[in-house]
Amino acid sequence: MMEKALPSEALYFYYGNEKISFTLNAGSSLTDKIRITVKPCGSVAVSAPLQAGNDAVLSAIKKRARWIYRQQQSFLAQNSAIAPRLYISGESHFYLGKRYLLKVVETADERQGVKLLRGRLQVSVRQKDSEKVQALLNEWYKTRAKEVFAMRLETLLVQTFWINQAPPIRLQTMQTQWGNCSPQGRLTLNPNLIKAPRECIDYVILHELCHLAEHNHSPRFYRLMAQVLPGWQSVKHRLDNMAAQILASH
């Protein structure tokens, strides 16, 4: 049973007693099909052509309600199986798509901070404390994210003929998004994206740059994506599959 009228940014339905929320993007399909996607984080996105009516969208969701629920439960089980971070030596943490062993060094001489040394993420602290290690590591990730995102944006602008100057970048930790853009042209990127491979970073930046030309997920938007990043679907799939592991190291 639908609780709100379509279209809306936040909708939900019930599978048994389970309330399942989803977002609807009208006009985001290149075909006449209604597409339903369950992301590794558990969120549900429905894409429908503009000509699809509310009844058709609701019918498609109801037909796949069981599959949606099972997908969510499967991702939930996978995510819960990932051990929580303790921020102690021996753990592995992602950076640019690669795993690095964490080494926590207690020192009274060195400045507290993080260094990437010989395949390890070395965190120097006055006293071993997981919260301090986490704070230093998060700050290092944000610093690297600012530098890498800015460099990748400058490189990728060559491919985006519709942009005259580099848009400003803002970092914001988000639970279900890698990035978004404002109507004013500012890009907001999730600093955790720095843990993903460079091609995935490029995909997210290009995705948002395409939104500067076409704000909705329209056929024109996807034509631009295919032009600037052929085969972007496989890159998106790779990022989606890594999401749980990447965010678990947050």
Side-chain angles (χ1 to χ4, degrees):
M1 177 180 177
M2 189 60 55
E3 301 294 338
K4 294 185 179 181
L6 298 177
S8 173
E9 290 185 356
L11 302 164
Y12 54 86
F13 65 95
Y14 282 94
Y15 177 71
N17 294 323
E18 191 74 19
K19 178 181 176 181
I20 300 178
S21 301
F22 68 94
T23 57
L24 173 66
N25 293 316
S28 62
S29 177
L30 292 176
T31 69
D32 293 332
K33 295 180 179 179
I34 296 172
R35 299 177 180 176
I36 302 173
T37 304
V38 181
K39 300 180 180 179
C41 62
S43 64
V44 181
V46 179
S47 300
L50 287 172
Q51 65 270 24
N54 292 355
D55 291 342
V57 173
L58 292 175
S59 177
I61 292 172
K62 289 177 181 179
K63 286 180 180 178
R64 304 200 71 189
R66 184 179 181 182
W67 174 83
I68 293 170
Y69 176 76
R70 286 188 169 183
Q71 284 291 101
Q72 285 190 320
Q73 293 304 303
S74 176
F75 282 129
L76 178 63
Q78 292 177 29
N79 295 343
S80 62
I82 298 174
R85 300 293 178 179
L86 300 177
Y87 295 92
I88 58 177
S89 294
E91 286 184 339
S92 65
H93 289 254
F94 281 100
Y95 174 62
L96 292 178
K98 296 181 180 179
R99 290 180 181 270
Y100 291 89
L101 285 180
L102 180 65
K103 182 179 181 181
V104 180
V105 178
E106 191 174 47
T107 175
D109 301 324
E110 289 187 42
R111 180 181 178 181
Q112 296 189 115
V114 181
K115 295 179 181 178
L116 191 58
L117 296 173
R118 296 181 292 277
R120 295 175 183 268
L121 277 171
Q122 180 173 305
V123 182
S124 299
V125 290
R126 295 282 182 269
Q127 185 176 1
K128 290 184 179 181
D129 175 82
S130 60
E131 290 186 3
K132 182 62 177 179
V133 173
Q134 181 180 9
L136 289 172
L137 198 55
N138 287 343
E139 190 60 35
W140 181 82
Y141 275 127
K142 288 181 180 179
T143 300
R144 296 299 300 138
K146 287 180 182 178
E147 296 172 357
V148 173
F149 295 170
M151 288 190 294
R152 295 313 304 158
L153 175 62
E154 184 178 355
T155 300
L156 296 170
L157 283 176
V158 178
Q159 302 170 230
T160 52
F161 58 87
W162 59 90
I163 298 177
N164 296 320
Q165 61 181 15
I169 295 179
R170 179 174 70 116
L171 296 183
Q172 180 180 335
T173 300
M174 296 174 278
Q175 295 300 317
T176 60
Q177 286 183 297
W178 294 117
N180 60 56
C181 68
S182 69
Q184 294 74 33
R186 181 179 64 185
L187 301 188
T188 299
L189 298 175
N190 192 330
N192 286 307
L193 184 60
I194 195 63
K195 301 171 187 178
R198 195 189 71 177
E199 65 171 356
C200 296
I201 295 173
D202 288 358
Y203 157 72
V204 173
I205 293 176
L206 286 171
H207 183 106
E208 301 310 329
L209 291 179
C210 285
H211 273 314
L212 296 181
E214 188 63 33
H215 195 67
N216 297 314
H217 290 104
S218 66
R220 181 175 178 238
F221 170 85
Y222 286 110
R223 285 197 295 270
L224 284 175
M225 279 298 299
Q227 181 177 340
V228 297
L229 187 61
W232 61 267
Q233 295 93 334
S234 63
V235 182
K236 178 183 182 301
H237 182 70
R238 183 183 182 188
L239 179 60
D240 287 345
N241 285 341
M242 294 184 67
Q245 290 179 307
I246 289 175
L247 295 175
S249 62
H250 165 57

